[in-house]
Amino acid sequence: MKFTIIVSSGIEKQGLISAYLFSYHLLKLKHKLIGVFFYSEGVLNSNSMILKKEKKLDVICKWEFLSNKFHFPLHICSNAGLRKGILSNVDAGILGFQEGNLRNSFQYSGLSEWFALVSKCDRMIHF
């Protein structure tokens, strides 16, 4: 079965951890993850300048590892990202900043990418 995951949970929230654990286990059971779309507060997880607390589970690094291992994209909503101050290097340059703060493993995406993810999956799960 093919899945798309939507994450609107912010940094260190239970929804983010649940989404990761659900995704990990569905991949372990040989299902396919088409992609993960971070929206609303979820876009904050793509900020490369977030400092994690010691002894805290680094869920974002785990997402990145899973994405690389199983070859699925990590998308963030471009509009929500801009509203929350998440900038790609291109957008940062346009706005006069030296560099952006979008983690390298994430990509800016719009609703067309979200629709493409949804159209290719059998199930969409929102956390």
Side-chain angles (χ1 to χ4, degrees), residues 6 16 27 29 46 61 66 69 91-92 97 104 110 121:
I6 309 295
L16 176 68
L27 291 166
L29 292 171
S46 68
C61 284
L66 211 60
K69 182 176 180 181
D91 289 328
F97 296 102
N104 291 332
C121 71

Side-chain angles (χ1 to χ4, degrees), residues 73-88:
L74 299 173
H75 298 275
I76 74 158
C77 176
S78 55
N79 286 335
L82 286 172
R83 283 193 310 270
K84 301 287 185 189
I86 308 297
L87 300 174
S88 68

Side-chain angles (χ1 to χ4, degrees), residues 17-116:
I17 296 166
S18 296
Y20 167 76
L21 291 172
F22 180 85
S23 300
Y24 172 81
H25 287 289
L26 75 86
L27 291 166
K28 196 173 175 182
L29 292 171
K30 306 292 185 210
H31 293 289
K32 181 159 177 65
L33 187 53
I34 303 296
V36 180
F37 193 86
F38 291 83
Y39 179 74
S40 187
E41 295 295 314
V43 301
L44 294 172
N45 294 293
S46 68
N47 187 344
S48 64
M49 296 184 186
I50 297 292
L51 298 175
K52 72 177 187 97
K53 296 176 184 176
E54 290 181 36
K55 299 181 182 178
K56 277 284 198 176
L57 177 65
D58 191 350
V59 181
I60 297 307
C61 284
K62 291 193 172 291
W63 270 116
E64 290 172 327
F65 175 79
L66 211 60
S67 170
N68 288 330
K69 182 176 180 181
F70 291 97
H71 310 290
F72 62 85
L74 299 173
H75 298 275
I76 74 158
C77 176
S78 55
N79 286 335
L82 286 172
R83 283 193 310 270
K84 301 287 185 189
I86 308 297
L87 300 174
S88 68
N89 286 333
V90 172
D91 289 328
I94 291 169
L95 295 171
F97 296 102
Q98 290 183 354
E99 62 182 285
N101 60 342
L102 178 66
R103 292 177 79 106
N104 291 332
S105 54
F106 287 80
Q107 59 191 41
Y108 258 166
S109 300
L111 288 179
S112 59
E113 285 87 356
W114 180 75
F115 285 126

